[in-house]
């Protein structure tokens, strides 16, 4: 088991909601730049949302208004609240952490990755 562990994936119908969590082990999220990525079937891994150490957030256009990234007050657990899910949101969702991330979409800038959790949205 690596330093990041995701949970909360599952199957849901279109329009439904899921809440993903990512727990750090062995280090504190507090000084890290955190993000959620996803990999849809046959597609490259893509950035979904990020949250910086100061709490500022960034979202990919395709999830704006539907997904919310947050971290708990102890900065131990990262969350992704996913509402109004669509079938095209189906994929494996990964959390990632990096100390110095200039471009949240750049996967090479992240040091730690979780193992991924499957999200399936049916129509």
């Amino acid at each position: 088991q690596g330093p990041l562990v995701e949970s909360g994936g599952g199957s849901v119908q279109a329009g439904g909601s899921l809440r993903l969590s990512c727990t750090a082990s062995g280090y504190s999220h507090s000084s890290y730049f955190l993000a959620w990525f996803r990999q849809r079937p046959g597609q490259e891994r893509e950035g979904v949302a990020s949250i910086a150490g100061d709490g500022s957030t960034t979202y990919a256009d395709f999830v704006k208004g539907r997904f919310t990234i947050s971290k708990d007050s102890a900065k131990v657990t990262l969350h992704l609240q996913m509402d109004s899910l669509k079938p095209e949101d189906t994929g494996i969702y990964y959390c990632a952490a990096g100390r110095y991330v200039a471009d949240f979409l750049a996967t090479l800038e992240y040091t730690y990755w979780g193992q991924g959790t499957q999200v399936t949205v049916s129509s």
Side-chain angles (χ1 to χ4, degrees), residues 38-46 87-94 118-121:
R38 72 184 185 187
Q39 189 160 16
R40 297 183 293 168
Q43 303 292 319
E44 296 287 322
R45 193 170 297 191
E46 58 186 356
E88 52 264 44
D89 293 319
T90 294
I92 301 174
Y93 283 69
Y94 301 88
Q118 177 70 45
V119 170
T120 303
V121 185

Side-chain angles (χ1 to χ4, degrees), residues 15-113:
S17 299
L18 284 172
R19 182 175 174 83
L20 305 183
S21 297
C22 174
T23 302
S25 174
Y27 78 101
S28 171
H29 275 328
S30 61
S31 59
Y32 279 73
F33 188 98
L34 307 172
W36 287 97
F37 284 76
R38 72 184 185 187
Q39 189 160 16
R40 297 183 293 168
Q43 303 292 319
E44 296 287 322
R45 193 170 297 191
E46 58 186 356
V48 174
S50 68
I51 185 165
D54 64 1
S56 58
T57 58
T58 303
Y59 295 91
D61 286 344
F62 53 78
V63 301
K64 282 181 180 177
R66 300 190 298 124
F67 291 10
T68 304
I69 189 171
S70 63
K71 54 187 177 182
D72 66 11
S73 58
K75 300 180 175 64
V76 173
T77 305
L78 176 70
H79 302 286
L80 184 69
Q81 177 66 39
M82 305 188 295
D83 298 318
S84 302
L85 282 161
K86 304 175 182 180
E88 52 264 44
D89 293 319
T90 294
I92 301 174
Y93 283 69
Y94 301 88
C95 61
R99 288 298 300 272
Y100 308 106
V101 176
D103 176 5
F104 106 85
L105 299 176
T107 57
L108 292 178
E109 297 194 17
Y110 294 87
T111 304
Y112 301 117
W113 289 87

